[in-house]
Amino acid sequence: MATPAALTGWGSTRDGRDARYGQAVVTAGQGQPAAPAGAVLTALLQAASQEVPAAVALRRELHATPELGGRETRTASRVAAALGEPGAPSVTTGRLVRIGAASGPSVAIRAELDALPLTEQTPVAWASRNGASHSCGHDVHLAALTVAGRAVRRVGGPLPLVAVLQPREEGYPSGALDLVGSPQLEAQDIRAVIGVHVHPHILCGQVSAGPGPVNAAYDEVTITVQGRGGHAAYPHVTRDPVLAAAHVILALQHLISRRTDPMHPAVLTIGTVQAGTAANVVPEQVVLTGSLRTFEPADRASLRSAVSATAGATAEAYECTAQATFTQGEPVLDNDPALAAAAAACLAQAGLRVAEPLRSCGSDDFAYYCTRYPSLMMFVGVGQPGMQDAPGLHHPAFLPREEAVEDVARAMLAGYVAACSVVLPGAAAGLGWAPESV
Ligand SMILES: [Zn+2]
């Protein structure tokens, strides 16, 4: 293993480093310093550890002043500045910060800018008081990305790093669609994308980086059950949509338990029911909204049509009507197998234990990057032993511990180095660095 000093020739000053980034790629094997992946990662991790205190302070600042999706301009500016480029170009309310050569192949790391419309319920002095809350851990991801980016600025790296500060991960249309396929992102010549998300179902110190599908495709459904309203004392002259909607909800559950292959994960949840306004009135209509999550494209299509047909037929039995409309969300999040394999070795070097692959019916618009680039989403543990019932993602009392900033940063750097080794195997071999335990 080369020592970190082997890297100092291409990482000391901004201008020189930028030139050398390009050279490292173009002239691989022609006299560039040997820099085994182990040494690159070691140097980056050492630099990262010095950035952690400032990043923890930044995390508190972001946490105290969250912004909802579509309004994240201040958050984006603050993080871009922390990454050393306050004037980084905008893409809607997001930013792209490129670290390294201005052109040529690069590796991207995505972090989400938005908070949730929740009233925070944590006891910390830096809790949000503005009606929005970073209850999905995006404040941790952003702070960690500043650690990773600043480490790459200081040390250098095999390929430029593009920090993707993405808006509206929690909303629709997905913020990832602002970026994926955009001229601004296409211009970055991205060859791989890394994403990291904290996860309370994984213990602290562990990271899941499983290959293949790890998150479900997501669709939202709105079902309008129309009846005929009237006085509650005379139900026989009404057509009660509340009763019909109750049966629709029950009937829909049969689509998962009896119409879907039990070996195919799928879940349908009705999350809202909006009916009348008075206890003594049969309302005219009920509106249900729900979420459908699937892993198989065929299930996605067949369940959507079955939801429509079942809702309609069930409502008809009560002499009401039901109309279902769908809003298509993100596709399945499909981790690139080569990136996952390379990351496993680098994660271990970064002091993180590789956990069993986490596959869940959660969803994340990072899936859109997977459709365009080889991509890897990793889940970093923030769970504590014996605390399975602690508030989880999207709960207003969810609060990852502060050490998560460093854990996520280390996972990001491991993913970045792993991606470089996969993207440019020839150049990596020429430079003498492939993940040492692969
Ligand atoms: Zn999230």
Side-chain angles (χ1 to χ4, degrees):
M1 180 190 291
T3 64
L7 299 173
T8 54
W10 50 294
S12 52
T13 67
R14 179 166 185 174
D15 290 342
R17 180 188 57 247
D18 285 354
R20 282 185 288 265
Y21 268 122
Q23 202 175 28
V25 173
V26 174
T27 65
Q30 298 175 24
Q32 286 300 302
V40 173
L41 186 52
T42 297
L44 289 170
L45 293 169
Q46 285 175 350
S49 66
Q50 295 165 24
E51 302 289 347
V52 168
V56 169
L58 175 64
R59 184 270 178 121
R60 289 186 176 206
E61 178 188 328
L62 298 174
H63 190 93
T65 56
E67 293 175 301
L68 295 175
R71 304 180 204 163
E72 313 98 324
T73 48
R74 184 179 35 74
T75 302
S77 296
R78 183 68 185 89
V79 176
L83 280 162
E85 196 177 344
S90 299
V91 182
T92 63
T93 48
R95 297 284 193 107
L96 292 176
V97 180
R98 185 173 174 116
I99 300 167
S103 61
S106 66
V107 169
I109 302 179
R110 190 284 303 252
E112 319 90 318
L113 292 162
D114 56 333
L116 288 156
L118 294 173
T119 300
E120 184 165 339
Q121 296 174 7
T122 76
V124 295
W126 36 280
S128 163
R129 313 221 183 277
N130 69 4
S133 176
H134 271 300
S135 302
C136 198
H138 296 177
D139 53 335
V140 174
H141 308 162
L142 291 165
L145 184 50
T146 69
V147 173
R150 292 173 67 89
V152 173
R153 269 203 200 284
R154 287 172 54 187
V155 173
L159 287 173
L161 170 64
V162 178
V164 178
L165 311 182
Q166 184 206 295
R168 289 194 336 279
E169 193 281 321
E170 304 285 5
Y172 292 94
S174 295
L177 292 172
D178 295 4
L179 290 148
V180 176
S182 70
Q184 296 97 323
L185 201 62
E186 290 294 306
Q188 302 300 322
D189 198 1
I190 287 167
R191 305 301 176 91
V193 185
I194 300 298
V196 179
H197 207 296
V198 293
H199 208 294
H201 295 170
I202 301 172
L203 292 177
C204 294
Q206 299 189 16
V207 179
S208 166
V214 296
N215 271 171
Y218 180 89
D219 296 308
E220 279 190 5
V221 60
T222 299
I223 301 171
T224 303
V225 181
Q226 186 68 44
R228 189 169 71 226
H231 198 299
Y234 310 102
H236 55 294
V237 297
T238 73
R239 296 294 177 265
D240 186 357
V242 175
L243 180 63
H247 283 273
V248 166
I249 293 169
L250 291 171
L252 292 178
Q253 295 309 311
H254 295 161
L255 300 180
I256 304 299
S257 70
R258 285 298 174 269
R259 297 273 292 278
T260 308
D261 184 336
M263 303 305 288
H264 295 184
V267 61
L268 174 63
T269 294
I270 299 299
T272 70
V273 179
Q274 292 177 306
T277 55
N280 59 354
V281 174
V282 174
E284 290 283 331
Q285 72 172 28
V286 176
V287 178
L288 313 174
T289 66
S291 54
L292 175 64
R293 299 161 188 268
T294 51
F295 274 80
E296 301 289 332
D299 290 344
R300 190 179 197 181
S302 67
L303 279 167
R304 283 173 62 145
S305 84
V307 165
S308 295
T310 300
T314 304
E316 194 181 346
Y318 297 87
E319 297 186 63
C320 296
T321 62
Q323 191 79 34
T325 57
F326 290 85
T327 302
Q328 181 158 313
E330 47 268 63
V332 167
L333 197 165
D334 200 357
N335 273 345
D336 182 80
L339 287 177
C346 292
L347 286 167
Q349 191 196 333
L352 296 163
R353 205 170 132 214
V354 179
E356 286 293 308
L358 177 85
R359 302 186 198 283
S360 82
C361 282
S363 56
D364 192 303
D365 71 2
F366 186 79
Y368 288 112
Y369 299 90
C370 301
T371 66
R372 180 73 184 87
Y373 310 99
S375 301
L376 177 67
M377 169 60 85
M378 294 180 277
F379 300 105
V380 168
V382 292
Q384 304 281 357
M387 299 283 285
Q388 290 85 345
D389 295 332
L393 297 170
H394 290 203
H395 190 286
F398 177 64
L399 187 73
R401 61 180 194 156
E402 294 199 310
E403 291 83 349
V405 172
E406 184 165 13
D407 285 353
V408 171
R410 292 170 85 84
M412 285 176 170
L413 286 169
Y416 162 71
V417 171
C420 290
S421 73
V422 170
V423 169
L424 292 173
L431 289 167
W433 67 280
E436 57 188 11
S437 52
V438 170

